[in-house]
Structures are given as C-alpha cells and as structure tokens.
Amino acid sequence: MKSQLGSLAVAAGFAASVVGIAVLGVGLRRRDTRLLRLGGRFVPIVLVAALAAAGVMEWALVTHDFSLRYVAENGSRTTPLLYTVAGLWAALEGSILLWGLILSVHLTLLWAKHRRRIDDPLVGWAMLVGLAVAVFFFGLMLGPANPFHSLHGAVPADGRGPNPLLQNHPLMAVHPPMLYLGYVGFTVPFAFAIAALVTGRVGEGWLAETRRTTLLAWGFLTAGIVLGAWWSYEVLGWGGYFAWDPVENASLLPWLTATAFLHSLMVQERRGMLRVWNLSLLVATFSLTILGTFLTRSGVVASVHAFTRSSIGPALLGFLAVVSVVGVGLIAWRADRLASPSQISSPVSRDAAFLANNVVFGGLAFVVLLGTTFPLLAEAITGDQLSVGEPYFERMSAPLGIALLFLMAVAPNLPWRAAGRDVLRRRLARPAWFAAGTMLVLALAGATGVAQLAAFGLAAFALAAVVTQITTAVRARRHASVPRMGVVRAAVRTFTGNRRLYGGLVVHVGVVLVAVALAASQGYSTKREVSLARGESATVRGYRVTYLGTTARRTPQKTRIAATIDVHRGGARVATLRPALSIFPGATSAIGTPSVHTSPVRDVYLTLVSSPNEAGRITVGVFVNPMVMWLWLGGAVMVGGAVFAAWPDRRRARTRGPAAVGTPPAPAAPDRVLEGAPA
C-alpha cells in the first residue's frame, strides 16, 4: 500500500508541475491574468504532493516496512529512531525526494509572496522556470530514482540499515538537509535571472527579488559546509576537516560563485555595472548545484560522501547541458541590453575592488572545478584513472585565498568611484599598522611560514578595518543625536539602520575567524601514532597520554570498543578521552570514533587505530590541532551575519509601501558612514 501511495503522490507532483507550466505558458503568451493566477495555484499542489510522498517514506521507515526496497536497503530494526528518520536522505532515491520537497517549499513561498502580482511577466516566467526544474526532479522519482519500488519475492524480516558512517554521529541528521536547503534555494534566483532575460528586463529591478533568497540560500549552504567539515572532523578519524574531496568541492563551487554574486550585485544596484557578471554568476551557481548533484549521486567519483553508482548520471548531465545552453544563449541574445550605463572611473575604488574580488572568486572556482573534473574527463577520453590531490589545490588556492583576504579587508573601506590619498590614509592606515604589528609579534613569538603569517596579518587588517568602520558609524550617530544617546543604543540603531552593510561586516568577521583557524590548524598541527600497553605513556607536543584500559559495550545497533586515556600537560590533567572502534552488523570493517578535547588554543584529538592485540597493546593516533574551535565559531558568525543581513526591515517596508515587482530599488544612500555621518 505504501508503494502505491508514494508513487501516486510523486505522479501527482509531476502532473501538477506539467499542467502548471502549460497554463502559465499560455497565460504569458496571451497575457491572460486569469490563466496566470490559475497556473500559480498548481504550485501549492506540488508542495502537497511532495509532503505526501515524503510522509509516506518516513512512515515506511519508522514502521520498518521492508516491502519497500529503499527501506530494506537503508533501514533496520536496530537503527536508532534519529537515524531511521534521517534515512530519508541516506541514499540516492530518498535524497532526490528530499530535493523535490525542499524545491516545492521554495516555489510555494515564491507563489505566496507574489500571488497578487502574478500578472507581472517577470513573476510568471520565474514560476514557470521553477516548475520546469520541479518537473525534472519529479521525473527522476518516476524513473531511475524511484524511492517507492517494491521488493519482489519474500519480504525480509530485517533490513541492512544505513551506511555505518551515517549512523555514527547526530550531525548526519542536520548536515545534509542544510546542504539541500542551500543547493535548492539557488533555484529561485536562477529562475528570476532567466525570467529577466526572457522578458528583457535586465536592469536592476530583478535584483530585488534575488538578493534575499540568494543570501538565505548562501547562509544555509555555508552552514551545511561547516557542519560537514565538523562531521568529518568528529567521525572519520583522520584529524582533519576538509581534504579537497570531489564531493566536498561540489559544495564549495556554488558557494564561491554565489559569494561573488552577493558582492557584485551591490555594484549593479549602485552603479548599474556588472550586469553580465551577475546573470552569468547565477546561471553558473545553479549549474554547479546540478554538477554537484551529479558528482554526489551518479557514482562517478569514489568518496566517503558519495552514493553508489546509479543510472541517473546521464539524466543529470543532460539537464546540466540544457541549463547551461539556455542560460548562456539567453545572455548572448540579450547582449545589446546588458551594456552598463557607467564605467569604473578609478582602479582605487569600491567598484573596482569588487570587480577584482569577482575575478579572484572566479579564478578560485575554476581552479577547484578543474581539479575536480579533470580526472573524470581524462578517464572518459583516455581510459586512464588519474587523481588530483591536496598539493594541487593547496598550491593553487593559497595565493588566491590570500588575495581574497586582502580585498575583503580593503574593499568595504573604499569609496565608490574614486578614492583620494587622504581618504585612503584615514581609512586604512590604522588597520595596516595593526596588521604589521600583529605579524611582527607573531614572528617574534616563533610563528613560521610565509603563507600563515600573511594570513594572520591580513586577518588582523580586516578585523581592524571592520572595527574602525563600526566605531566610526556609532560615534557619528551618537554625536548626531540630541540629547546624545548611549553607546549601546547608538550601536543598536546603527546596526538595525543598515542591516545589509553591518550584516555583511559580521560575515567578514566570521571569515576572519575561519581564515585564522585554517592557517593555524593546517600550518602548525602535529600528528603521531603511538603503541601503548596498559599504564604506559607517550608525550606528543607537550601532552602526555596514558593508556588506562579498554571497555567493550554491545548494543543491538553495534559493538563498541573504547580505550580510556588520560591526557596531562605540565603535570595537570587536561581530560580523560575515550576514542573507540565500532563494529556494525554486516560491516566489513570497524568504524572509528575519535575523542576530542577542545579549547580556544588547541584541540587534543585521539583516535583508536587498533584495539588491544594479544600482548594487550593498542595503537593510538594523537593529533594536536591549533585553533580548530575558531573554525566552527567563524562558521556560526558567518551564518548569523547572513541571517541578520537578510532579515526584513519592517519599518522601512511600511515607510516605502508596496512596490511593484521588478521595479528598480531605491538609490543607495551616499557613502558617508566612514566620513563620520550617521548610517
């Protein structure tokens, strides 16, 4: 019964999407408002169908209905409830179902926001494009990625359960949905970009409909990437968090192009420039989400993050080709309307810095894309299996990352159009001195490595520039108020008065924290493997680890062997850690579970490499990783800044009143914050 119900729900979603496209298409051609409104009403029907399909699948997983092949292959009676529920996205078919569900939510929110303005061709075309994407993914669920296939023959008494790596840490219940919310969220700005090209309204008006949705999708993708790094650090037991794995790169690529878009759209809103850049970046971002889906779900790459080989690869490649050709073709078609009304007047200006920022982001995306896809292309052409490892990515990306840090520090402090020497001296002198002092102090303290010192110096520069910009604005607001308001109240008024600016600055602070954590943890970490008998100790970078014994615990889900290890430093006990090995039924090898003592300065990270042998000795991996905590904190600050920047300002909305969809945004306020005037 569940198979029939789920299949019926998927078919209903597919049919509603097709009919909605047809009605919207006829309505757009005839300019018939009645048909456009009718076509829009099919969007919530798609959502109801997706909710029904996902609900049936969760019902089957929780009730252990092993008559469904997906449940038999990804569920078991011994799997804890959390991982049973998360089984929806534990394998290919369920992940496509989750994709369709999130997409239908985004489209319904789009429809709910604009249903009274459905006669606007920009909105109508955006909904049509969104439904076309829905047709593709619901079509996958009807064909090669059907999650509701029934088993033929006898129904097994129990299932195989999820991949052991997917039921070894609670982050797997959070990390994939965050990535999907980011991936799928880019559909809406892509749809508006295509709509703008089709209708010819390629000015600045369509940006108002894409900025907030892109920012929220970017925030979700950022959270997903950081949580994925955290999962890798806490589960895989190799002491790191990002290894330039093809699937990790698949998430990074759209993040890079979306970040470039969020910077360059400010230039288009302010100066009317970079129109081709922005449209191209949105098409590229959506295309890269499809490429990432292909890499993750087609089985063409070997990765701990990827699913097994499947038959949806050709369909995803075909869809990627259609998206790319349509996007590039429409941009070429509208080339005569995409000319910028103004030009960059000085290389020392905010608009020039943002353009340079885009070039660097584009270069970094190209480096990552080339290193990720080159082995696949080489194998397809020559049949030889090649690999591109960390040395290539680190050697090529390090200088680009340093350049991005520099531009991030400088660009927000430059005025639009041109900057004089006095302005540059007033805005950049103190941050530059602070950066130089930071590098000198670190060098005297024994820090080595040109790249690490450069990263620390630029991070200090960026942080000092942000602090200078905020304190100047708060001071100006205090002085402008009569009577003079307190510092806290002035800071609140300043931040809430321009959420976009200060939310962006908060994101920059998060990037600074991440950059410092990356430079420190990758440049100064220590790794050793030690063999210990009970009561023996070993010292690694000032930490003495002492093996106290081993315990074994058996549950229906797994057998867990944990070593108890005391960690001391300078005669004082730091922590008692328990790295473990877990053996799951049916697994071919044990799964390690690291144990980590985290502090703001460094992490002590232990893994149990081998359980006690005949002589009672164990092998323990000991990692001392500096400042990893700041990576997670920096990611949280970035997401918080994105949410703050995207948060709607009700007072401003009430003041302006309802605006027509696609109308150009109001001109930005003069660049006076750093000149001492209130924001």
Side-chain angles (χ1 to χ4, degrees), residues 603-657:
D603 284 7
V604 180
Y605 181 107
L606 303 184
T607 61
L608 184 58
V609 179
S610 65
S611 56
N613 57 20
E614 295 179 355
R617 303 185 71 86
I618 63 170
T619 302
V620 179
V622 182
F623 301 79
V624 180
N625 299 326
M627 303 188 71
V628 175
M629 174 190 287
W630 297 98
L631 180 61
W632 323 131
L633 293 177
V637 171
M638 291 170 66
V639 174
V643 172
F644 183 81
W647 200 267
D649 191 334
R650 295 182 179 179
R651 291 179 301 176
R652 184 173 297 180
R654 285 197 299 266
T655 302
R656 292 181 178 177

Side-chain angles (χ1 to χ4, degrees), residues 163 165-166 231-232 236 238 245 247-248 301-307:
N163 184 320
L165 286 173
L166 303 183
W231 173 83
S232 180
L236 297 184
W238 59 292
D245 180 278
V247 178
E248 294 173 335
V301 296
S303 167
V304 69
H305 308 278
F307 297 129

Side-chain angles (χ1 to χ4, degrees), residues 493-509:
R493 290 286 186 88
T494 300
F495 270 74
T496 56
N498 194 339
R499 294 179 184 273
R500 289 182 62 182
L501 171 62
Y502 295 104
L505 293 180
V506 171
V507 171
H508 283 189
V509 172

Side-chain angles (χ1 to χ4, degrees), residues 2 37 78 84 155 203 301 318 348 364 391 404 453 455 467 494 512 514 523 552 570:
K2 296 184 183 70
R37 289 178 178 173
T78 60
T84 297
V155 176
V301 296
V348 186
L364 185 55
L404 284 175
L453 286 173
V467 172
T494 300
V512 167
V514 170

Side-chain angles (χ1 to χ4, degrees), residues 239-310:
Y241 41 77
F242 195 87
W244 300 102
D245 180 278
V247 178
E248 294 173 335
N249 294 346
S251 301
L252 180 62
L253 284 167
W255 186 89
L256 291 170
T257 53
T259 306
F261 169 75
L262 289 171
H263 285 84
S264 63
L265 75 83
M266 291 187 285
V267 180
Q268 184 174 345
E269 287 180 336
R270 184 78 182 223
R271 303 290 311 280
M273 299 186 301
L274 304 185
R275 292 175 175 177
V276 174
W277 264 105
N278 286 328
L279 290 165
S280 301
L281 285 170
L282 282 181
V283 172
T285 298
F286 183 73
S287 299
L288 289 171
T289 64
I290 303 303
L291 177 64
T293 308
F294 168 75
L295 293 174
T296 309
R297 288 155 184 82
S298 63
V300 298
V301 296
S303 167
V304 69
H305 308 278
F307 297 129
T308 55
R309 186 169 294 274
S310 70

